[in-house]
Amino acid sequence: MVFEWRDFRLGDLTTWSSGTTPSKQNPSFWGGDIPWISGTVMRSKNLCESELYLTQEGLDNKGKLCKKNSVLLLVRGDLFNRIPISIATKSLSFNQDIKAINSVSDDLLQHYIYYLLEGNKKRLSNIVEFTGLGAGKLDTKLLQDLTFKIPSIDYQESLINFFTSIDSKIELINKNSETLEALAKTLFKSWFIDFDPVRAKSQGCSTGLPNGINELFPDSFEESEFGDIPTGWKLGNLDQIALNPRETAKPFQMDSSYRYIGLEHMPRESIALSDSGTAENLASNKNVFKKGDILFGKLRPYFKKTGCAQFDGVCSTDIVVVREKFKLCRGFICFLLASNTFIDFTVALSSGTRMPRTSWNQMCEFLLPIPQLPLVQIFGEVVSPILDKIRINSDQSISLSSVRNTLLPKLISGELRIPDAEKMLEEVGI
C-alpha cells in the first residue's frame, strides 16, 4: 500500500491558545467544579480532573477554557526532565504555562496531534530554552515553525487506533493497581487508624474476620496521651518498627546500568513505581535502596510520594529510604507512610517556605499506637499478594510503555509501517 506523506508546518494546520490563572488571593474564584490544569497534574494522556478547581466566578474573571479534545502542551516549567502532553477529554481551564492546540485543517486529525508531539519529544527537547530561573521554556514560534511529514487521513486514523489500543491496555493495568492499592489502604485505615475490629469486639459485634486474625485484636480500649487506643497496644515511633539505612553511593561507585529513582519518577498518591531512569551521568551522591524498601519523598511531602521499591537501585537524596526492622512489617510501614494522617504530620513539621522538606528524624517524631508484632505481620501477609500484584502490573506497564515509546517515533515518521509493528508485538507476546 502506498501512503502519501507530505511536509507541513505545524503552525499552518493548528491554532494555539494560552491559559490563565485567576487571582489566587480571591477565595471566591476557587473551590468550584471547573478543573484548572497546571503542569504538575499533566501525568497521563487523558485529563478530566485536577487538584484545583475554579468557580464560575473565577472562570468569569480571567479564567480560560479549552475545548474538549484539545491537546495540551506544557511550554514553561520543568521541561528538562519531562515534556508533559495530554488530551483534554472535556472542556477544562488551564494556566498560562500551557498551550491548547487544535487542528484547523482537513489534513490533520485532532488526536493525531497528540501522537505527533509524543513521537517527536526528542525534537521538542532540543529546542527547550533556559528561563534563567532553572526552568525551561518552549518558544511558541519555534514550535509552530516545526515541519513534519504527515500521512493521509486514513493512515492517521490507523495510527491513532494502533496506539490507543496500547494506551488502553496500560490504562487498564494502572487502574487495576489503583483499585488494589485503595483496597489495602482502606484495610490499613480500618485496622490501625479507626480500630474497627476492636470497636466491633468491644460492642459484642462480629469483626467478620477469620478466627486466626480476629483473636489478635483486643476487645477493649485504654486511655493514653494519644486518646483511647486498643488495650495492649503501645504508643511508639516509626523507628521502633523501621530503619533508615542511610547508605549512599558516590558517582564513581554507580554502574551506568543501576536503576535510578528521582522524585519525578514517583507518582503522587500511588505506591506503584512504574517509572525509573538509570544511573548514567549522575554527578552527585545518591541514596542506595533495596528491593522491598519503602521510598518517601521528603521534598514537599504534601505531594504524597510514597513508593514500594520493586528492585535494587539508587535514588535522589530528596527521598528517604525506609526498611522494615522485622520480617513481614513492610506492608504496615508502606501504608502507614502513605496514609493521610502520617503525611499531614510531616507537612506540619516541614522546614522551608518555598521548598519545604521533612527528614527521617522528623518522621520518627510521629507517635502511633503500635499493635503487637504478630498483628503487624498478619497485615503484612494479607497485603503481600496485593503488593506482588501491583509489582507485576508495574512491570507490565513499564514493558508496554517501553514498546510504545520505541515504536511511536518510527511509526510517526514513516520509518516503520503498522503491519510490521503488529508483527513485532506478536513476537514479544503483546
Side-chain angles (χ1 to χ4, degrees), residues 222-229 235:
E222 61 186 16
E223 291 183 359
S224 76
E225 60 181 286
F226 189 81
D228 287 346
I229 63 172
L235 288 181

mmCIF file of all heavy atoms in Angstrom, residues 222-229 235:
data_model
loop_
_atom_site.group_PDB
_atom_site.id
_atom_site.type_symbol
_atom_site.label_atom_id
_atom_site.label_comp_id
_atom_site.label_asym_id
_atom_site.label_seq_id
_atom_site.Cartn_x
_atom_site.Cartn_y
_atom_site.Cartn_z
ATOM 1 N N GLU A 222 -8.024 1.457 76.080
ATOM 2 C CA GLU A 222 -7.471 2.041 77.298
ATOM 3 C C GLU A 222 -7.035 3.468 76.994
ATOM 4 O O GLU A 222 -6.752 3.820 75.849
ATOM 5 C CB GLU A 222 -6.301 1.206 77.810
ATOM 6 C CG GLU A 222 -5.131 1.102 76.834
ATOM 7 C CD GLU A 222 -4.062 0.131 77.331
ATOM 8 O OE1 GLU A 222 -4.357 -0.675 78.241
ATOM 9 O OE2 GLU A 222 -2.943 0.185 76.808
ATOM 10 N N GLU A 223 -6.991 4.275 78.035
ATOM 11 C CA GLU A 223 -6.642 5.683 77.852
ATOM 12 C C GLU A 223 -5.136 5.827 77.614
ATOM 13 O O GLU A 223 -4.337 5.058 78.137
ATOM 14 C CB GLU A 223 -7.047 6.509 79.080
ATOM 15 C CG GLU A 223 -8.551 6.643 79.247
ATOM 16 C CD GLU A 223 -8.900 7.534 80.420
ATOM 17 O OE1 GLU A 223 -7.973 8.011 81.100
ATOM 18 O OE2 GLU A 223 -10.103 7.746 80.651
ATOM 19 N N SER A 224 -4.791 6.836 76.824
ATOM 20 C CA SER A 224 -3.379 7.155 76.595
ATOM 21 C C SER A 224 -3.299 8.635 76.247
ATOM 22 O O SER A 224 -4.327 9.281 76.040
ATOM 23 C CB SER A 224 -2.817 6.320 75.443
ATOM 24 O OG SER A 224 -3.266 6.836 74.209
ATOM 25 N N GLU A 225 -2.081 9.154 76.150
ATOM 26 C CA GLU A 225 -1.928 10.560 75.767
ATOM 27 C C GLU A 225 -2.384 10.792 74.328
ATOM 28 O O GLU A 225 -2.604 11.922 73.892
ATOM 29 C CB GLU A 225 -0.467 10.986 75.920
ATOM 30 C CG GLU A 225 0.501 10.186 75.064
ATOM 31 C CD GLU A 225 1.942 10.624 75.252
ATOM 32 O OE1 GLU A 225 2.297 11.690 74.742
ATOM 33 O OE2 GLU A 225 2.694 9.880 75.920
ATOM 34 N N PHE A 226 -2.531 9.697 73.566
ATOM 35 C CA PHE A 226 -2.999 9.740 72.183
ATOM 36 C C PHE A 226 -4.524 9.752 72.133
ATOM 37 O O PHE A 226 -5.127 9.989 71.114
ATOM 38 C CB PHE A 226 -2.441 8.484 71.476
ATOM 39 C CG PHE A 226 -2.627 8.456 69.988
ATOM 40 C CD1 PHE A 226 -1.759 9.139 69.150
ATOM 41 C CD2 PHE A 226 -3.654 7.728 69.405
ATOM 42 C CE1 PHE A 226 -1.916 9.097 67.777
ATOM 43 C CE2 PHE A 226 -3.812 7.681 68.038
ATOM 44 C CZ PHE A 226 -2.949 8.375 67.221
ATOM 45 N N GLY A 227 -5.161 9.485 73.283
ATOM 46 C CA GLY A 227 -6.600 9.241 73.343
ATOM 47 C C GLY A 227 -6.814 7.766 73.612
ATOM 48 O O GLY A 227 -5.878 7.047 73.998
ATOM 49 N N ASP A 228 -8.014 7.276 73.398
ATOM 50 C CA ASP A 228 -8.271 5.854 73.600
ATOM 51 C C ASP A 228 -7.595 5.027 72.515
ATOM 52 O O ASP A 228 -7.774 5.298 71.321
ATOM 53 C CB ASP A 228 -9.778 5.583 73.583
ATOM 54 C CG ASP A 228 -10.455 6.074 74.844
ATOM 55 O OD1 ASP A 228 -9.734 6.381 75.831
ATOM 56 O OD2 ASP A 228 -11.698 6.162 74.852
ATOM 57 N N ILE A 229 -6.836 4.028 72.952
ATOM 58 C CA ILE A 229 -6.179 3.127 71.992
ATOM 59 C C ILE A 229 -6.504 1.691 72.396
ATOM 60 O O ILE A 229 -6.878 1.430 73.547
ATOM 61 C CB ILE A 229 -4.652 3.332 71.951
ATOM 62 C CG1 ILE A 229 -4.021 2.991 73.313
ATOM 63 C CG2 ILE A 229 -4.312 4.749 71.528
ATOM 64 C CD1 ILE A 229 -2.495 2.977 73.290
ATOM 65 N N LEU A 235 2.099 3.044 72.590
ATOM 66 C CA LEU A 235 2.441 4.227 71.799
ATOM 67 C C LEU A 235 3.926 4.178 71.469
ATOM 68 O O LEU A 235 4.765 3.915 72.337
ATOM 69 C CB LEU A 235 2.125 5.500 72.579
ATOM 70 C CG LEU A 235 0.648 5.848 72.747
ATOM 71 C CD1 LEU A 235 0.496 7.150 73.515
ATOM 72 C CD2 LEU A 235 -0.045 5.963 71.392
#
